[in-house]
Amino acid sequence: MTEATQSPVTASPSSLEKKATASTLSRLAKYTLVKILTLGVTIVIGVYLTIIIANMGGEVDNIRRGEIRERVALMVSMNQDLRRLPAEERAKYINDMVKIEEDRLGLDRPFILRSFTYLTDAMSLNLGRAQFLTSDSGSKQVRLIILERLPPTLVLFGTANILLFFFALFIALGLSRHYGSFLDRLVIALAPTSAAPGWFYGIFLILIFAAVLNVLPYGGMVDAPVPDTTIGYALSLLKHMILPTLAIFLSSIFITIYSWRTFFLIFSSEDYVEMAKAKGLSSQMIERRYILRPTMPNIITNFALLIIGLWFGAIILETVFNWPGLGRLFYRAIGLFDTPVIVGETVIYAYLLAITVFLLDFIYALVDPRVKVGGEGPKA
Amino acid sequence: MNALKNTFRDISQYPSAVLGLVIIVLLVIFAVYAVVTIPYNEAIRMWRGGEEIWGDYPRNAAPAWTNWFSAKKLPETIILTTDDERVKKEIQTVGSNQEVIMHYVFDYPYDDFPQEMIIFFTSKYDVKQPHITMKWVTPDGRELRMSQMSVRRSDQYRFELDERLKRRIKDMTIIQGLFATPDVMPPTIQKGQYELQISALLFEPNAEVDAKLVIYGKVHGLAGTDHLRRDLMVAMLWGAPIALSFGILAALGTSVLSMIIAAVGSWFGGAVDEVIQRITEVNLVLPVLPILIMIGTLYSRSIWVILGAVVALSIFSSSIKTFRAIFLQIKEAPYIEAARSYGAGNLRIIFSYLIPRLIPVLIPGFVIGIPSYVFLEASLAVLGLGDPVLPTWGKVINDAQAQGALFNGHYYWVLQPAVLLMITGLAFSMLGFALDRIFNPRLRGV
């Protein structure tokens, strides 16, 4: 506020501000729209590639054929007249029906054409039926199975990522101001430990806190039997979340602090920071306005890459901790060779990644002064 | 040459880099040792062979060195064959029959009971099976008789299934009963010299009989064994060359290819550059690990197929953007203009003038990238998608997880591969971080 209001103004300050807000909003809206469109195209291409890879061995075709056969068989068994037919005739009838259905749905068409049908199916989350796995509510719909497993994953990774972001931000900012101190050098020395993924730390954490000290559970999401009260449930959930969250946190915190601290150091050697110091601004003000602000876009890009890495780490982390999320589902699907679930999950992961990238891009737009104030948008 | 010398001088100023380099050299020696002592086919045979290879090893045995740190000495496996000097074999002729008497005498100095006891019989006969009677003699002279039996050409006798011993030994397991001091609760080992007498009655002149006594211990070798009695040392040794070659090949392939692509993109600019940029963005959203899992499940789990897929999926990674930014700067340099003016071709400029300039940036990135690929291989193995034949560290962790190793207290099973992975990852990572600061002086002051 201080500099802006002190500068001489010709128009009335309030109308100028309003105008600025309006143009910022429209710029944001435009930026968001462009981002959504590009990401939409990106997702389509990503999912399409996934389908192509999945169908190189004809697996998606098999999923579809299995579905058609099941539907036809069910229809025949429901029909009184058809049920009375001798077994051979009935089998022949079913085969004919399956053939007709397959032709109708275009399974006899070349793969290039079919792949677009699969693409629209996948994009609309019409992921087919699982071969072995069922959702807790008993459904075999891959979509339902996956949706049921989504909340635990989001809870765990949301918590861990938020903790990671804020801890890393404040510690990095603090360290950059005490550059060269013991703590600073300690963090640099510890940065290489982030080469190991979260599940790896998870194993050690389970060993220490569950196996040796026996203070925290080995895995799972809540105690068995499940507590009746909401508070009891929440406490039990918290207790089970400590170790996996800690594992994610430990695996990324040092490298994140290290790289963000480097960003801060680069920006705090800029001339305008020296200028602000010379003007006698408080160090808090300098940090917020002149260091944190211009660094934010870099930090958010860095964080986006980090989260993308963590999403994949999730698959194994959840397996190690028996966390009933998407990753654990993936692991079970691999064990059972449940192809529809594996393909479906890959599609879902493509979506999740895209949403993550989009959200972070949006925040990027909010904090990046170039999007907010300047004419030229950032080239992402 | 001079540049190399300078680099080494710079590295020597970073203790973490020196440590990392030393560990990497040791790991390479370890890996070479593994490949030389246990050739590829031998390793696969030792890991996938079957009972005839690891039948004499105990199950889930801790490494033998754990005994040094514990007051309670766990037993090692005792194997007694008739070739052993502790075993005496006498043959007497009784009428038309022969009687073979074998004495197995051994010391038992350990503080814990053995895990299992099995006698493996082999015999030769035409029609009538040899008839066996056995007797167990304890250090204080007590004698326990076991059930009599006839043995086939290849047969096993398990002490813990013996009905007659079970009737005699009431309030403890049979193995405890054989080794315990009488009338002491809880069961305590009676140390000293034990003897097993096997006498076999052969009814045919050409018949033969032989027996091997295996008293399975609770510790084994340098690395212990897993739930299938396999010696974990094979996997620990062979994990090293696999992890190193996978990590290095993947990191090398990825970084070199993405650098070439970035160079091509920034040199030609325009549509080429635009396409590369867009592919990079799509690639960012591609779920790499799920796709690898899909490939592993649907097509092939061979480590080389996965390696190819990993490289293919990581070429268009975010490092292209970093490389591109630098190439765009280098492109404007006067020496490139000079090259262009004397008529150098595009390929010549890209490969001889642009790319060599970027090697200082490439090397740290390449070294830092290695651990992530080493862990990626381990991650896939932990998900059960490891190479089907080769023993790797990740597969050992996967087995251990599946058998609840941590829950059952078999810590060595998880810790050994995990520590080896950690050491490998840390070594490359420490070296890479130091190299990054050496080659990118902008960070050196920071």
Side-chain angles (χ1 to χ4, degrees):
Chain A
M1 277 286 109
T2 46
E3 282 81 42
T5 43
Q6 274 161 17
S7 58
V9 281
T10 43
S12 85
S14 64
S15 76
L16 200 74
E17 219 163 74
K18 217 182 260 169
K19 213 173 168 185
T21 329
S23 82
T24 306
L25 269 184
S26 74
R27 200 170 280 134
L28 256 182
K30 202 176 140 202
Y31 177 83
T32 313
L33 197 71
V34 171
K35 266 288 150 192
I36 290 183
L37 283 179
T38 38
L39 264 176
V41 174
T42 314
I43 296 180
V44 171
I45 298 174
V47 171
Y48 189 65
L49 282 178
T50 307
I51 289 168
I52 301 245
I53 297 173
N55 205 39
M56 274 186 330
E59 284 301 333
V60 179
D61 291 342
N62 288 343
I63 297 172
R64 299 281 295 213
R65 289 215 172 85
E67 245 173 87
I68 292 170
R69 181 162 289 275
E70 192 177 322
R71 204 166 57 227
V72 169
L74 190 73
M75 189 203 76
V76 169
S77 71
M78 298 292 273
N79 188 321
Q80 288 294 335
D81 297 334
L82 291 172
R83 224 163 49 188
R84 274 191 225 105
L85 286 173
E88 278 167 35
E89 262 177 67
R90 199 169 60 214
K92 187 174 174 306
Y93 181 80
I94 290 178
N95 282 339
D96 291 347
M97 283 296 285
V98 168
K99 181 82 184 60
I100 293 169
E101 273 293 290
E102 284 182 2
D103 289 354
R104 185 178 74 83
L105 289 170
L107 275 167
D108 54 342
R109 286 186 301 165
F111 175 67
I112 281 295
L113 291 175
R114 261 181 297 136
S115 67
F116 290 109
T117 323
Y118 295 152
L119 180 64
T120 40
D121 275 356
M123 294 304 293
S124 54
L125 290 188
N126 183 5
L127 301 170
R129 292 166 68 80
Q131 283 168 329
F132 306 103
L133 289 162
T134 53
S135 71
D136 289 344
S137 56
S139 169
K140 273 199 160 298
Q141 288 272 328
V142 172
R143 181 179 39 180
L144 291 180
I145 297 176
I146 289 176
L147 284 182
E148 202 178 69
R149 299 305 188 88
L150 197 54
T153 299
L154 290 181
V155 166
L156 181 60
F157 282 83
T159 318
N161 285 326
I162 290 170
L163 279 179
L164 190 64
F165 183 81
F166 285 104
F167 267 87
L169 192 65
F170 289 113
I171 296 176
L173 202 53
L175 287 184
S176 74
R177 300 195 53 79
H178 299 105
Y179 155 64
S181 66
F182 170 72
L183 270 181
D184 188 39
R185 276 179 296 161
L186 184 72
V187 167
I188 298 180
L190 284 175
T193 56
S194 300
W199 62 264
F200 192 77
Y201 287 97
I203 288 179
F204 284 100
L205 289 175
I206 293 176
L207 176 70
I208 296 170
F209 291 100
V212 178
L213 297 178
N214 206 6
V215 287
L216 287 167
Y218 280 89
M221 195 167 84
V222 282
D223 285 324
V226 180
D228 310 325
T229 56
T230 319
I231 294 174
Y233 189 90
L235 284 178
S236 171
L237 181 69
L238 270 183
K239 191 174 76 182
H240 286 78
M241 262 175 71
I242 295 175
L243 286 187
T245 315
L246 197 60
I248 301 174
F249 190 76
L250 277 181
S251 71
S252 326
I253 187 76
F254 295 115
I255 182 79
T256 315
I257 294 179
Y258 173 77
S259 47
W260 293 7
R261 156 198 167 282
T262 313
F263 290 143
F264 285 136
L265 282 176
I266 290 171
F267 277 89
S268 46
S269 60
E270 293 280 350
D271 289 341
Y272 55 77
V273 178
E274 296 299 322
M275 170 72 179
K277 269 187 207 157
K279 263 200 297 192
L281 294 184
S282 71
S283 66
Q284 213 188 352
M285 176 85 94
I286 297 179
E287 263 178 27
R288 270 220 320 266
R289 285 203 140 189
Y290 295 101
I291 303 180
L292 199 53
R293 242 227 186 120
T295 327
M296 229 37 203
N298 285 328
I299 285 186
I300 286 178
T301 315
N302 183 276
F303 191 60
L305 290 174
L306 178 74
I307 293 189
I308 289 171
L310 288 181
W311 269 124
F312 301 138
I315 298 174
I316 306 152
L317 189 93
E318 286 182 1
T319 308
V320 169
F321 279 103
N322 251 331
W323 188 264
L326 285 179
R328 170 108 186 105
L329 175 69
F330 217 144
Y331 176 70
R332 287 186 54 207
I334 296 168
L336 293 168
F337 274 98
D338 202 327
T339 344
V341 178
I342 293 175
V343 176
E345 279 235 26
T346 313
V347 171
I348 289 284
Y349 268 103
Y351 263 108
L352 282 175
L353 278 186
I355 293 170
T356 315
V357 171
F358 171 72
L359 277 181
L360 286 166
D361 264 338
F362 188 72
I363 299 173
Y364 187 103
L366 281 180
V367 298
D368 191 338
R370 280 168 301 180
V371 183
K372 212 168 176 180
V373 189
E376 52 176 289
K379 281 196 173 155
Chain B
M1 205 56 226
N2 224 0
L4 200 68
K5 215 189 257 172
N6 282 346
T7 310
F8 269 108
R9 206 191 51 225
D10 284 338
I11 287 178
S12 66
Q13 286 172 358
Y14 290 89
S16 66
V18 175
L19 184 65
L21 205 57
V22 169
I23 296 175
I24 292 170
V25 170
L26 289 179
L27 273 172
V28 170
I29 294 173
F30 185 67
V32 170
Y33 171 80
V35 178
V36 170
T37 49
I38 312 173
Y40 183 80
N41 291 326
E42 180 69 7
I44 291 174
R45 198 181 65 87
M46 285 168 83
W47 193 245
R48 317 263 321 157
E51 288 283 314
E52 71 269 21
I53 288 165
W54 54 71
D56 293 346
Y57 301 159
R59 269 176 218 281
N60 287 331
W65 47 263
T66 49
N67 263 346
W68 303 342
F69 304 104
S70 128
K72 189 176 172 183
K73 298 289 173 243
L74 295 175
E76 290 181 37
T77 302
I78 300 171
I79 301 172
L80 292 168
T81 57
T82 40
D83 299 331
D84 198 300
E85 56 188 26
R86 289 175 288 181
V87 178
K88 275 183 291 197
K89 189 173 181 179
E90 312 160 15
I91 303 176
Q92 296 167 356
T93 316
V94 187
S96 63
N97 304 332
Q98 301 176 64
E99 192 181 12
V100 181
I101 304 173
M102 291 170 275
H103 300 269
Y104 296 78
V105 184
F106 62 96
D107 264 324
Y108 198 79
Y110 307 106
D111 298 314
D112 200 0
F113 295 98
Q115 190 179 55
E116 269 180 282
M117 293 165 68
I118 302 180
I119 303 174
F120 295 92
F121 287 101
T122 45
S123 62
K124 266 199 224 161
Y125 57 87
D126 290 329
V127 185
K128 287 201 79 177
Q129 297 179 349
H131 183 77
I132 305 281
T133 46
M134 289 181 286
K135 192 167 74 178
W136 181 256
V137 187
T138 60
D140 55 353
R142 284 175 298 130
E143 291 188 359
L144 287 93
R145 289 190 174 279
M146 293 161 229
S147 305
Q148 306 193 351
M149 56 191 267
S150 301
V151 291
R152 285 162 294 175
R153 287 186 176 83
S154 166
D155 215 336
Q156 290 180 16
Y157 166 81
R158 288 169 190 264
F159 284 72
E160 51 275 50
L161 302 178
D162 193 300
E163 289 297 326
R164 193 164 163 187
L165 285 175
K166 202 175 269 172
R167 279 200 297 277
R168 173 96 184 259
I169 300 163
K170 292 248 163 50
D171 41 8
M172 47 182 103
T173 67
I174 288 177
I175 290 188
Q176 286 172 345
L178 292 175
F179 283 95
T181 320
D183 307 323
V184 178
M185 271 301 171
T188 342
I189 291 281
Q190 187 173 38
K191 293 183 190 174
Q193 202 172 58
Y194 285 84
E195 188 186 339
L196 172 74
Q197 278 180 29
I198 301 178
S199 61
L201 207 54
L202 305 174
F203 305 105
E204 294 166 4
N206 296 327
E208 277 173 34
V209 71
D210 201 4
K212 178 170 80 170
L213 169 68
V214 183
I215 301 171
Y216 293 95
K218 285 180 176 167
V219 292
H220 179 87
L222 273 175
T225 57
D226 67 4
H227 62 301
L228 297 174
R229 305 178 190 276
R230 290 185 294 200
D231 189 353
L232 288 178
M233 200 58 204
V234 183
M236 293 305 111
L237 277 171
W238 257 87
I242 295 171
L244 289 182
S245 54
F246 188 88
I248 291 173
L249 284 178
L252 195 67
T254 313
S255 49
V256 168
L257 285 176
S258 37
M259 193 172 69
I260 292 175
I261 290 170
V264 169
S266 51
W267 178 248
F268 289 107
V272 181
D273 194 30
E274 194 63 19
V275 167
I276 291 174
Q277 293 276 77
R278 292 292 91 76
I279 295 179
T280 313
E281 266 153 45
V282 173
N283 201 63
L284 194 67
V285 183
L286 270 192
V288 177
L289 188 61
I291 288 181
L292 287 180
I293 290 172
M294 213 163 64
I295 292 174
T297 325
L298 303 183
Y299 307 119
S300 161
R301 294 188 179 189
S302 157
I303 199 164
W304 309 117
V305 172
I306 298 285
L307 178 71
V310 167
V311 172
L313 285 171
S314 334
I315 292 174
F316 287 95
S317 65
S318 55
S319 62
I320 280 201
K321 296 205 170 192
T322 324
F323 289 144
R324 182 175 165 271
I326 305 171
F327 275 130
L328 285 180
Q329 277 179 9
I330 300 175
K331 200 179 146 186
E332 305 303 328
Y335 80 101
I336 300 285
E337 209 171 322
R340 226 196 293 206
S341 66
Y342 81 67
N346 286 329
L347 281 181
R348 184 182 172 86
I349 291 180
I350 291 174
F351 285 98
S352 310
Y353 300 132
L354 278 181
I355 289 180
R357 279 292 297 276
L358 222 67
I359 285 178
V361 183
L362 178 79
I363 290 175
F366 157 67
V367 176
I368 293 178
I370 293 173
S372 57
Y373 295 108
V374 171
F375 278 107
L376 180 70
E377 189 271 320
S379 302
L380 285 172
V382 168
L383 284 174
L385 294 172
D387 191 273
V389 286
L390 287 171
T392 67
W393 293 334
K395 273 172 81 180
V396 174
I397 297 182
N398 178 37
D399 286 344
Q401 284 290 76
Q403 302 294 322
L406 290 178
F407 190 74
N408 294 322
H410 305 306
Y411 301 149
Y412 68 93
W413 196 359
V414 178
L415 276 180
Q416 291 178 124
V419 166
L420 282 170
L421 274 171
M422 187 85 215
I423 290 176
T424 313
L426 264 185
F428 281 106
S429 194
M430 286 194 297
L431 180 66
F433 271 73
L435 285 176
D436 197 25
R437 293 159 128 229
I438 292 167
F439 284 126
N440 300 315
R442 198 165 60 98
L443 294 170
R444 200 185 292 184
V446 175

